[in-house]
Amino acid sequence: MNRVFFGLVLAVALTGCSRPSNFAECIIADMDDVQNPQVFSAIYKSCTTAFPSLYQDIEQGSGQGLFSSKDSSSCILDNARGTTFPMASASISIACGCLYTEPKYKGQTCKSYFMGY
């Protein structure tokens, strides 16, 4: 009985860990395999609705962790390989750059990274 309970708790915890916690994670999680503008628009709108601040509040390089990609390039390879719609693959590339590029200074946000300051 205890093993079943522990397994259930572990499954719930792992499921909760897989939900996106910011705009970049939402793009990476949902944009893979997008092949047309209609699906791209629907996913982009969904992520924008869930995370209206977009990249503004995401700390640069914050995607590096135990179960994540090791760098921006591997993130792109892992998540954009089947994506044929150019705007979708570009969105994944930008999100991977945000999450897996080392910041120039502590506390740098992805917005400041993209703006060049």
Side-chain angles (χ1 to χ4, degrees):
M1 182 69 171
N2 286 339
R3 287 184 184 180
V4 172
F5 178 73
F6 178 73
L8 182 61
V9 169
L10 183 61
V12 169
L14 290 176
T15 302
C17 292
S18 65
R19 288 186 291 156
S21 63
N22 61 49
F23 182 76
E25 290 176 1
C26 184
I27 291 294
I28 290 170
D30 295 342
M31 207 57 83
D32 190 25
D33 294 327
V34 170
Q35 299 177 11
N36 62 61
Q38 294 81 10
V39 174
F40 169 80
S41 294
I43 292 170
Y44 196 86
K45 182 177 180 181
S46 173
C47 290
T48 301
T49 300
F51 304 101
S53 63
L54 306 178
Y55 291 106
Q56 190 168 331
D57 300 330
I58 305 172
E59 199 167 314
Q60 181 70 31
S62 61
Q64 299 166 348
L66 185 60
F67 298 111
S68 62
S69 300
K70 63 180 181 175
D71 58 26
S72 179
S73 295
S74 62
C75 173
I76 294 166
L77 287 172
D78 292 343
N79 297 289
R81 191 177 299 271
T83 307
T84 59
F85 185 63
M87 289 179 69
S89 56
S91 294
I92 292 171
S93 179
I94 291 167
C96 288
C98 167
L99 294 175
Y100 297 102
T101 300
E102 289 290 324
K104 292 179 184 173
Y105 55 88
K106 185 174 175 59
Q108 181 181 15
T109 65
C110 292
K111 180 183 177 189
S112 63
Y113 170 75
F114 295 129
M115 300 296 286
Y117 57 90

